[in-house]
Amino acid sequence: LLRLLLPNPEPEEFGEFLKIAIIGFLQHENADQWSRDHTEFIKSRREGELSDENLAWYEEFAPSVAAFSCLALGALQGLYSQGQIDDETFLQGEALLPGFIAMKNEQIQEQYVAGAPR
């Protein structure tokens, strides 16, 4: 299913994070509603505030922060697509995400490590 939702093979640095975002999206919306705009939104965040450089201060846990952020942003996109949240609520969710991550950083890291491939 995830291969069908990714319109073109994505560079490795985006592919895994897009898959995670799609999983978040699918918690609230049907797969056929995922679009190139959703993909571009996640890619823009990974190139910006969620880039490896901007998350470097998390050190070895930067990937867990990026993954959780993409999951949450995908879920927000799914809620928005369903009409369950409006523009303002979407922006609030996105703005509050860094604070939530800082508050729950240990749990996010633990879950990421527990779910990481071995």
Side-chain angles (χ1 to χ4, degrees), residues 44-64:
S44 73
R45 295 313 183 267
R46 274 295 289 151
E47 291 171 339
E49 61 265 23
L50 298 177
S51 69
D52 292 341
E53 296 86 26
N54 286 334
L55 298 178
W57 70 281
Y58 285 101
E59 298 174 348
E60 72 270 14
F61 294 108
S64 66

Side-chain angles (χ1 to χ4, degrees), residues 36-111:
R36 188 73 184 157
D37 289 341
H38 296 111
T39 297
E40 291 302 319
F41 176 83
I42 298 299
K43 285 175 68 174
S44 73
R45 295 313 183 267
R46 274 295 289 151
E47 291 171 339
E49 61 265 23
L50 298 177
S51 69
D52 292 341
E53 296 86 26
N54 286 334
L55 298 178
W57 70 281
Y58 285 101
E59 298 174 348
E60 72 270 14
F61 294 108
S64 66
V65 171
F68 181 82
S69 297
C70 289
L71 180 71
L73 292 172
L76 284 171
Q77 288 179 310
L79 289 166
Y80 184 82
S81 178
Q82 271 286 320
Q84 294 181 25
I85 61 173
D86 59 14
D87 290 344
E88 184 177 340
T89 305
F90 184 95
L91 293 172
Q92 288 172 345
E94 187 177 15
L96 292 171
L97 185 56
F100 180 84
I101 290 171
M103 190 172 68
K104 300 291 186 178
N105 193 24
E106 275 188 40
Q107 291 99 324
I108 292 167
Q109 292 172 11
E110 289 169 6
Q111 291 299 312

